Amino acid sequence: MTDALKIAIKNRQAILFAGAGVSAVLGAPSWGQLIEHIGEDLGFEKEVFRALSDSYLTLAEYYKIQTGSIGPLRSWMDRWSAP
């Protein structure tokens, strides 16, 4: 660890960034599984959403717009929360 990083951490000026792999080891759904679930909730075929895999963030935003909330999605994801 560099001195600059140590100082930033000490001064609370650093942000931890962890990729999706961190939650995957806990059994949480992958981005692909999350998007497939969103597609199912919206009544789309899994293959349609897989074909748009480069637009995951757009699809997630579309879900929020269509449903008016991410509440149901959060409830679905709660199954993977640690006790």
Side-chain angles (χ1 to χ4, degrees):
M1 186 179 312
T2 67
D3 289 338
L5 180 56
K6 288 177 187 176
I7 292 168
I9 292 169
K10 183 178 179 184
N11 293 332
R12 304 181 136 225
Q13 296 173 327
I15 297 173
L16 173 64
F17 176 81
V22 172
S23 58
V25 298
L26 300 174
S30 66
W31 258 113
Q33 292 167 319
L34 175 64
I35 294 301
E36 285 179 4
H37 179 77
I38 289 173
E40 289 172 3
D41 273 3
L42 295 173
F44 289 95
E45 296 288 328
K46 289 180 183 181
E47 293 75 23
V48 172
F49 269 52
R50 274 196 208 119
L52 301 171
S53 62
D54 61 335
S55 305
Y56 282 173
L57 295 176
T58 302
L59 295 170
E61 181 68 17
Y62 179 73
Y63 176 89
K64 183 178 179 189
I65 291 167
Q66 289 298 307
T67 62
S69 168
I70 62 166
L73 185 58
R74 289 183 64 201
S75 294
W76 177 77
M77 292 179 67
D78 282 345
R79 296 189 306 184
W80 286 276
S81 296

